[in-house]
Amino acid sequence: MKKILVIVDMQKDFVNGALGTKEAQQIVERVAEKIEKFDGEVLYTRDTHQKNYLETQEGKNLPVVHCVEGSDGWQLEERIAELAAKSHAVIFNKVSFGSPELAHYLTKLDQKEKIEAIELAGLCTDICVISNALLLKAALPEVPIVVDALCCAGVTPKSHDNALEAMKMCQIQITGTTLKAD
């Protein structure tokens, strides 16, 4: 049985760039430690937009240019990038919140070698982490899906907590603890 860790969108634009937050900056070292200690396969997702981002549906709803393919902000945060490069990790560039390619990859992998659990960490809890967790739960309903609350950050602390509660209701296991937002 194989364990999988998915690091969601730990990119410069979400840490300290166009959409960065202090909460995102605070989880970088914990995420790096989780990657280093993880006994299994580590996969990464990377939010990927093109120069026409503001013309897309997402761009019209969130008019902040970010994660444009090839830009500095699109790159994984430096510490995380070093770990991904060191292990020659698979990185899924995704054009939407969830990655169907990641779900397909893990479904195929589970058919070859049963997956014991899939754990997720990264950014943003309330957008891409929840989207990928639910997508993986739908694709692999018998594989435990786990989200480490201490290795995630949302757009706001309150939306982070709301996303964790929503995932719990969908039978996604939440580990770690988090302070409740006011």
Side-chain angles (χ1 to χ4, degrees):
M1 300 259 292
K2 188 169 188 131
K3 291 181 181 179
I4 304 292
L5 174 62
V6 178
I7 303 300
V8 179
D9 298 359
M10 287 295 295
Q11 293 161 268
K12 292 179 180 180
D13 269 347
F14 292 127
V15 174
N16 54 19
L19 293 171
T21 64
K22 69 177 178 10
E23 293 83 10
Q25 293 167 21
Q26 290 170 351
I27 70 163
V28 171
E29 196 52 41
R30 283 195 299 267
V31 172
E33 288 174 14
K34 178 173 277 298
I35 294 166
E36 289 174 328
K37 293 177 181 174
F38 191 75
D39 183 23
E41 184 174 356
V42 182
L43 305 172
Y44 297 78
T45 69
R46 192 166 41 194
D47 195 37
T48 302
H49 300 294
Q50 302 306 313
K51 291 181 181 172
N52 71 335
Y53 171 76
L54 292 175
E55 299 166 23
T56 67
Q57 183 175 342
E58 181 182 332
K60 290 174 184 170
N61 286 290
L62 176 63
V64 178
V65 176
H66 64 282
C67 298
V68 174
E69 189 170 12
S71 70
D72 188 56
W74 175 71
Q75 303 298 328
L76 294 174
E77 188 280 333
E78 289 172 11
R79 178 94 164 85
I80 306 302
E82 288 172 14
L83 293 167
K86 188 171 141 182
S87 67
H88 306 286
V90 176
I91 301 174
F92 295 88
N93 293 332
K94 57 185 191 56
V95 298
S96 63
F97 301 142
S99 174
E101 294 81 12
L102 172 66
H104 180 73
Y105 175 88
L106 290 173
T107 301
K108 288 255 191 221
L109 182 62
D110 187 57
Q111 291 168 353
K112 290 180 192 169
E113 179 181 358
K114 286 292 178 199
I115 297 174
E116 181 179 334
I118 301 169
E119 185 171 2
L120 291 90
L123 303 166
C124 293
T125 319
D126 44 347
I127 301 173
C128 293
V129 173
I130 192 172
S131 295
N132 282 287
L134 291 170
L135 188 61
L136 294 173
K137 187 68 176 169
L140 295 160
E142 295 304 317
V143 174
I145 308 296
V146 180
V147 172
D148 184 341
L150 289 175
C151 288
C152 292
V155 173
T156 68
K158 183 177 183 195
S159 63
H160 165 80
D161 288 342
N162 289 342
L164 294 173
E165 288 300 320
M167 286 186 278
K168 280 184 201 175
M169 294 303 296
C170 294
Q171 301 176 4
I172 293 167
Q173 299 171 26
I174 307 300
T175 61
T177 58
T178 184
L179 297 174
K180 290 290 180 189
D182 294 336

